[in-house]
């Protein structure tokens, strides 16, 4: 089950969706799901519902609300198509750490005020570029985020990036899980090692797992890199993480 919602934010109004299990009869622990660079679209609605069906209320915002509402990928097209991707890259460029921080506050306010969400700690999940969002939210709201997960995350620890989330992970109090794509050009082994080192040095309870043979975007059903076995494993790991933390 899902419903659309408009979330007031410092930079405008976030169009978002709330997903709950069909048998929900009261408030449930909250999970924030950030989409990959492709934004809101059917495969992410399906992903959010699958997570919700394990007993959670999932809030999935349109990360591009500053520029457009709803789905940005036309029906029959892929977010990787050369006539679609440049727009997504442009809009993604507007999602600075400062913009993310303002959105985190708005999303937490939504969770605090909507009936589907129970009081208490939350989980946050990111894919591709938003793996970094999940880490940043866990760092900036350490007392609130019990679990943060990133799958086929991108550019988490580039050496010359002053905005890399590796610089803020020392604030994280919750658990962190990463499911990395094998031989991912957007997150090479040296970046994985750098992020792991930062998390270990900060004393964060974290797990890093390499999905052998899976390519970047392995959870996105509308991507040529989709890998059903890796996608199922990602859901299994998420289920365990959320059960143990929420």
């Amino acid at each position: 089950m899902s419903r659309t919602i408009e979330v007031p934010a410092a930079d405008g109004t976030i169009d978002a969706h709330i997903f709950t299990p069909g048998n929900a009869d009261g408030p449930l622990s909250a999970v924030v799901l950030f989409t990959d660079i492709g934004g809101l679209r059917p495969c992410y609605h399906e992903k959010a519902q699958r997570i919700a069906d394990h007993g959670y209320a999932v809030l999935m915002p349109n990360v591009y609300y500053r520029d457009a509402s709803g789905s940005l990928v036309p029906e029959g097209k892929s977010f990787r198509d050369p006539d679609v991707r440049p727009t997504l890259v442009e809009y993604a460029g507007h999602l600075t750490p400062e913009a993310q921080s303002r959105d985190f506050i708005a999303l937490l306010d939504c969770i605090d005020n909507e009936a589907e969400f129970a009081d208490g700690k939350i989980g946050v999940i990111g894919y591709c570029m938003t793996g970094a969002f999940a880490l940043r939210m866990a760092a900036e709201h350490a007392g609130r985020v019990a679990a943060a997960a990133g799958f086929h995350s991108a550019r988490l620890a580039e050496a010359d990036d002053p905005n890399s989330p590796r610089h803020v992970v020392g604030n994280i109090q919750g658990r962190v899980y990463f499911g990395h794509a094998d031989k991912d050009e957007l997150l090479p082994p040296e970046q994985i090692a750098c992020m792991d080192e930062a998390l270990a040095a900060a004393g964060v309870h974290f797990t890093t797992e390499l999905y052998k043979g899976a390519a970047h975007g392995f959870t996105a059903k509308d991507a040529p890199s989709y890998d059903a076995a890796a996608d199922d494993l990602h859901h299994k790991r998420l289920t365990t993480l959320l059960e143990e933390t929420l």
Side-chain angles (χ1 to χ4, degrees):
M1 296 180 64
S2 68
R3 70 179 177 98
T4 59
I5 185 173
E6 293 186 342
V7 180
D11 297 348
T13 300
I14 305 173
D15 53 304
H17 301 265
I18 297 174
F19 298 81
T20 55
N23 61 354
D25 59 0
L28 300 167
S29 295
V31 176
V32 176
L33 189 159
F34 293 113
T35 65
D36 65 12
I37 193 171
L40 298 175
R41 58 196 196 278
C43 70
Y44 269 84
H45 285 255
E46 180 181 334
K47 193 192 306 279
Q49 186 63 61
R50 185 170 175 180
I51 295 167
D53 286 343
H54 285 280
Y56 304 98
V58 179
L59 176 62
M60 185 171 70
N62 171 21
V63 296
Y64 299 130
Y65 73 92
R66 292 172 180 83
D67 296 289
S69 62
S71 177
L72 274 68
V73 180
E75 186 175 356
K77 302 289 287 185
S78 166
F79 69 98
R80 296 191 176 191
D81 288 346
D83 57 340
V84 176
R85 189 171 180 82
T87 298
L88 299 175
V89 171
E90 176 190 348
Y91 292 172
H94 302 158
L95 302 178
T96 63
E98 295 77 18
Q100 293 171 40
S101 296
R102 294 191 294 273
D103 291 350
F104 298 157
I105 292 170
L107 296 174
L108 288 173
D109 285 344
C110 173
I111 288 169
D112 289 339
N113 287 287
E114 295 301 322
E116 287 93 341
F117 302 108
D119 296 336
K121 296 193 175 185
I122 71 166
V124 58
I125 311 162
Y127 298 84
C128 182
M129 68 174 187
T130 65
F133 292 26
L135 273 185
R136 194 175 303 280
M137 190 170 184
E140 294 183 2
H141 299 275
R144 193 72 187 275
V145 177
F151 295 91
H152 43 85
S153 301
R155 301 186 173 92
L156 287 179
E158 292 182 320
D160 58 351
D161 180 10
N163 293 325
S164 166
R166 69 189 173 94
H167 300 303
V168 300
V169 297
N171 296 328
I172 294 175
Q173 297 175 17
R175 281 176 54 181
V176 171
Y177 174 87
F178 284 121
H180 295 307
D182 190 20
K183 299 178 181 177
D184 190 340
E185 69 279 4
L186 297 179
L187 195 73
E190 58 268 23
Q191 285 194 42
I192 294 174
C194 183
M195 177 56 74
D196 286 355
E197 182 179 353
L199 290 165
V204 176
H205 182 169
F206 77 98
T207 300
T208 297
E209 185 170 8
L210 189 68
Y211 285 40
K212 189 69 175 176
H216 183 78
F218 60 78
T219 71
K221 286 189 174 180
D222 59 353
S225 57
Y226 177 69
D227 185 316
D231 187 28
D232 283 343
L233 180 59
H234 127 261
H235 279 287
K236 181 178 180 180
R237 296 294 190 255
L238 259 183
T239 299
T240 300
L241 178 69
L242 296 176
E243 282 181 352
E244 293 180 350
T245 56
L246 300 182

